[in-house]
Amino acid sequence: MDPIPYGRQHITQQDIDAVVEVLKSDYLTQGPKIAEFEEAFAGYIGTKYAVAVANGTAALHLCNLAIGTKPGDKVITSPITFVASTNSVLYCGGEIDFVDIDPKTYLMDLDKLEMKLANSHKGTFKGIIPVDFAGYPVNLERLRSIANKYNLWIIEDACHAPGGYFIDSEGEKQYCGNGKFADLAIFSFHPVKHIATGEGGMITTNNKDLYKKLLLLRTHGITKDANLFQNTIETAIGNELQTPNSELQTYPGWYYEMQDLGFNYRLTDFQAALGISQLSRAEEGVKERNRIAKKYDEAFTNNEEIKIPFVDDNIFHAFHLYVIQVKKRKGLYDYLRENNIFTQVHYIPVHLQPFYKYLGWKKGELPIAEKYYEHCLSLPIYPTLTDVEQSLIINTIINFYIK
Ligand SMILES: *Cc1c(COP(=O)(O)O)cnc(C)c1O
């Protein structure tokens, strides 16, 4: 029996053919597949604009730059997330603050967020980074109304949730990352996520100004768009004028301008081709994940040792992760490993990471997140997990508790 990981990519012959085709073409990077991927992704998520980038962390970094995170700016997020959510703020010199999680959904507790904001001077915080943890969509309609009261921006970390949605107060489906409530949203295409491109990421937004900034920042802050050039044509050409009539001068073909300090955070064309191909199966993948989750739910629902994930009625969960809460967590984790089943823990609370100690957080200060961490375990969930494999996982877990 092959080892069973907690998550893995699904690569088909169609994916391989799409990549090979690009490898044989003229463009390995900065070619036509990028815009094609962006357009297809924006269509899937239901947003106006999408910007493909090198990875999810780069996406977060660019979002912070585009929205204007500056040294000293304070940003709020959940302690139960991957460190990239918080690191990206620090890259810009900003500071991170945490709000404890809701014990049911494991997402940032919006009641506690409101309390924290009400008890702080207006202007203390600049923005919020909500995380659709495990694939559970944040109620961004409510978060937006809170954010508006305090003039905060929202960058949604939707890495876990492409295809997930919540039903808003008007009965409309609001897909994660669709830009209706958040200013910006980000996704990752790491192989354990829903869509795999090796490394890769995407930013989505409905805001045209932010979109334009992101395009610049993704590629060194360089533009080749003559309509945006700031230097005069004379400066661009030098003193060797093309025609004596300065009205007829145009910028030379080689000319570009660096107008901001950006980065090389581009995705390659063969990755974009893989992304386009993967995207065509994304919806089916989320359905598969839900089917697998349901089978786990049914197996464990009456088991006193195991708490299954909560899913509210107005939620379509994207199930990047299937997180259970258990007693004797380390024992179960080790026992499953001995049986070639590799579970994982998501996440070690960020405020307990040694690097983040400088912020002054101590154990006990975010008790719900810490207690969650002591008992959480992510079981294998991915579209190619077979029925036989899943039954083996379930039986091995049940065996552990009766042994
Ligand atoms: C994967 C992930 C990231 C970072 O994405 P990379 O592509 O690995 O850089 C950020 N936030 C969350 C919640 C993630 O799961």
Side-chain angles (χ1 to χ4, degrees):
M1 186 104 197
D2 285 336
I4 304 174
Y6 83 87
R8 72 163 287 152
Q9 73 277 14
H10 177 209
I11 302 291
T12 64
Q13 190 59 45
Q14 177 198 306
D15 293 342
I16 294 166
D17 293 345
V19 173
V20 169
E21 194 186 313
V22 172
L23 293 177
K24 291 176 180 167
S25 79
D26 291 336
Y27 293 96
L28 296 190
T29 190
Q30 293 178 280
K33 286 291 167 190
I34 302 298
E36 199 185 312
F37 185 29
E38 289 171 340
E39 204 172 301
F41 193 83
Y44 179 59
I45 296 297
T47 188
K48 273 197 192 141
Y49 309 105
V51 179
V53 292
N55 54 63
T57 307
L60 282 159
H61 186 192
L62 290 189
C63 284
N64 273 282
L65 287 170
I67 206 117
T69 300
K70 284 184 287 302
D73 285 359
K74 289 191 169 63
V75 176
I76 297 174
T77 190
S78 163
I80 300 299
T81 187
F82 185 52
V83 291
S85 315
T86 53
N87 292 352
S88 61
V89 173
L90 273 50
Y91 296 159
C92 300
E95 293 169 21
I96 278 291
D97 205 336
F98 297 103
V99 165
D100 209 349
I101 61 168
D102 176 327
K104 256 163 101 176
T105 61
Y106 316 145
L107 306 182
M108 183 198 291
D109 186 326
L110 297 188
D111 293 333
K112 288 200 173 124
L113 172 70
E114 277 199 291
M115 256 157 47
K116 186 183 190 80
L117 291 169
N119 292 327
S120 310
H121 287 293
K122 253 197 169 169
T124 303
F125 299 100
K126 288 286 189 290
I128 309 176
I129 303 183
V131 182
D132 300 311
F133 174 70
Y136 196 115
V138 171
N139 187 332
L140 287 173
E141 186 182 27
R142 177 166 175 215
L143 185 64
R144 181 82 260 175
S145 78
I146 298 170
N148 282 351
K149 263 205 267 180
Y150 296 90
N151 204 14
L152 306 172
W153 51 251
I154 299 174
I155 299 173
E156 178 187 5
D157 185 334
C159 282
H160 296 184
Y165 61 79
F166 70 95
I167 309 279
D168 72 10
S169 59
E170 278 156 26
E172 297 283 320
K173 287 180 188 175
Q174 299 294 346
Y175 280 89
C176 295
N178 74 358
K180 174 96 186 271
F181 302 106
D183 299 281
L184 295 153
I186 70 109
F187 296 88
S188 162
F189 306 131
H190 182 278
V192 296
K193 309 284 163 73
H194 289 64
I195 295 162
T197 65
E199 300 287 349
M202 193 73 83
I203 304 165
T204 55
T205 183
N206 284 342
N207 182 316
K208 195 170 187 185
D209 292 335
L210 289 173
Y211 171 64
K212 284 191 194 155
K213 266 194 211 169
L214 291 167
L215 290 180
L216 268 185
L217 291 168
R218 171 175 66 179
T219 176
H220 304 282
I222 284 175
T223 182
K224 295 202 79 175
D225 182 348
N227 296 315
L228 302 176
F229 288 160
Q230 295 170 6
N231 282 336
T232 62
I233 293 174
E234 283 72 18
T235 307
I237 299 178
N239 54 14
E240 206 180 299
L241 296 176
Q242 294 160 299
T243 76
N245 183 351
S246 68
E247 296 279 297
L248 297 174
Q249 303 293 341
T250 54
Y251 289 92
W254 70 76
Y255 190 69
Y256 62 82
E257 284 188 359
M258 181 188 145
Q259 299 180 338
D260 202 345
L261 184 60
F263 295 80
N264 177 356
Y265 277 167
R266 294 187 298 262
L267 191 74
T268 66
D269 272 59
F270 48 95
Q271 288 173 303
L274 181 53
I276 294 163
S277 185
Q278 291 258 313
L279 189 60
S280 68
R281 296 193 308 277
E283 195 175 345
E284 185 189 317
V286 182
K287 281 191 193 139
E288 277 301 293
R289 288 169 181 275
N290 272 273
R291 188 186 58 74
I292 292 165
K294 195 158 170 241
K295 181 167 166 181
Y296 278 136
D297 282 352
E298 283 163 7
F300 300 134
T301 193
N302 291 318
N303 194 315
E304 283 180 8
E305 315 281 350
I306 300 165
K307 188 175 153 200
I308 61 174
F310 167 79
V311 183
D312 214 345
D313 290 343
N314 67 337
I315 290 298
F316 182 63
H317 203 302
F319 279 114
H320 164 56
L321 303 173
Y322 186 88
V323 182
I324 54 172
Q325 296 244 41
V326 292
K327 294 173 192 148
K328 298 185 272 182
R329 192 255 317 263
K330 182 167 182 304
L332 176 60
Y333 172 87
D334 289 340
Y335 181 72
L336 290 168
R337 257 178 99 120
E338 284 161 25
N339 285 280
N340 240 353
I341 297 162
F342 293 82
T343 58
Q344 192 45 282
V345 165
H346 297 93
Y347 289 98
I348 301 158
V350 178
H351 71 289
L352 299 181
Q353 291 290 357
F355 175 79
Y356 278 88
K357 288 268 168 72
Y358 80 96
L359 291 173
W361 289 91
K362 288 180 199 64
K363 199 160 183 242
E365 289 182 327
L366 296 168
I368 315 275
E370 291 166 22
K371 182 150 183 274
Y372 159 83
Y373 167 61
E374 282 172 23
H375 299 284
C376 68
L377 195 67
S378 304
L379 301 184
I381 188 165
Y382 46 91
T384 55
L385 184 73
T386 66
D387 245 12
V388 174
E389 287 171 326
Q390 196 182 1
S391 296
L392 179 77
I393 296 163
I394 290 167
N395 291 336
T396 311
I397 292 170
I398 289 169
N399 270 339
F400 171 77
Y401 285 109
I402 57 181
K403 116 184 123 73

